[in-house]
């Protein structure tokens, strides 16, 4: 019998590079948690930096007037006189440069938070007694 796709938990764990079960016993639980948290932080930082670079460059290239002899205009990245198009009542450069990355980051955050981040057991808090109180 042929399976076309692996279960979502398998894909999500290997998407973030979680170690396989046979190698997990070699590391302590705290090391695994720290390693996983570091990897997730790097992914979040990469997404944030990408959205920042997109917003900054798109708004600079499309929201400002550039001289016609500028290399940005000659390459085709910028327009000498920006068009005043609107999408949903917003200028085109605001919609594509700010709203689209914001919505994309929202969608990525939801998927990341709901399906990819694992909840690790961090143990009991210091000072907790038998009955959960101090």
């Amino acid at each position: 019998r042929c399976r076309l796709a692996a279960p979502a938990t398998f894909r999500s764990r290997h998407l973030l590079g979680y170690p396989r079960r046979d190698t997990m016993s070699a590391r302590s639980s705290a090391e695994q948690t720290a390693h996983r948290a570091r990897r997730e932080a790097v992914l979040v930082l990469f997404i944030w930096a990408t959205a920042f670079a997109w917003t900054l460059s798109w708004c600079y290239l499309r929201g400002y007037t550039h001289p016609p002899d500028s290399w940005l205009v000659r390459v085709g990245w910028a327009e000498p006189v920006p068009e005043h198009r609107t999408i949903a009542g917003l200028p085109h450069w605001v919609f594509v440069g700010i709203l689209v990355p914001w919505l994309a980051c929202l969608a990525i955050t939801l998927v990341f938070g709901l399906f990819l981040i694992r909840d690790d057991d961090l143990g009991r808090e210091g000072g907790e007694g038998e009955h959960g109180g101090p």
Side-chain angles (χ1 to χ4, degrees), residues 58 83-97 99-100:
W58 184 272
E83 296 180 25
H84 296 290
R85 297 182 294 165
T86 59
I87 300 174
L90 295 170
H92 179 260
W93 66 272
V94 171
F95 186 85
V96 176
L99 190 62
V100 168

Side-chain angles (χ1 to χ4, degrees), residues 15 43 46 115 122:
L15 177 67
L43 181 63
F46 173 75
F115 301 111
L122 300 177

Side-chain angles (χ1 to χ4, degrees), residues 124 127-134:
R124 292 175 36 180
E128 270 190 16
E130 282 277 323
H131 304 287

Side-chain angles (χ1 to χ4, degrees), residues 111-128:
V111 169
F112 187 67
L114 292 174
F115 301 111
L116 299 179
I117 290 183
R118 288 183 45 192
D119 191 17
D120 291 328
D121 182 23
L122 300 177
R124 292 175 36 180
E125 281 190 39
E128 270 190 16

Side-chain angles (χ1 to χ4, degrees), residues 12-99:
S12 64
R13 287 182 182 169
H14 291 286
L15 177 67
L16 291 175
Y18 290 122
R20 294 182 182 263
R21 288 192 189 274
D22 55 347
T23 61
M24 288 176 69
S25 60
R27 284 195 206 167
S28 74
S29 177
E31 288 175 347
Q32 291 173 11
T33 300
H35 183 70
R36 192 174 305 116
R38 191 176 312 116
R39 185 177 305 121
E40 290 165 354
V42 167
L43 181 63
V44 168
L45 209 63
F46 173 75
I47 292 168
W48 180 87
T50 303
F52 177 74
W54 173 264
T55 298
L56 198 65
S57 60
W58 184 272
C59 291
Y60 173 72
L61 293 171
R62 302 296 178 172
Y64 291 97
T65 303
H66 298 279
D69 59 342
S70 170
W71 71 273
L72 295 169
V73 174
R74 282 185 275 141
V75 173
W77 289 357
E79 300 169 355
V81 179
E83 296 180 25
H84 296 290
R85 297 182 294 165
T86 59
I87 300 174
L90 295 170
H92 179 260
W93 66 272
V94 171
F95 186 85
V96 176
I98 297 172
L99 190 62

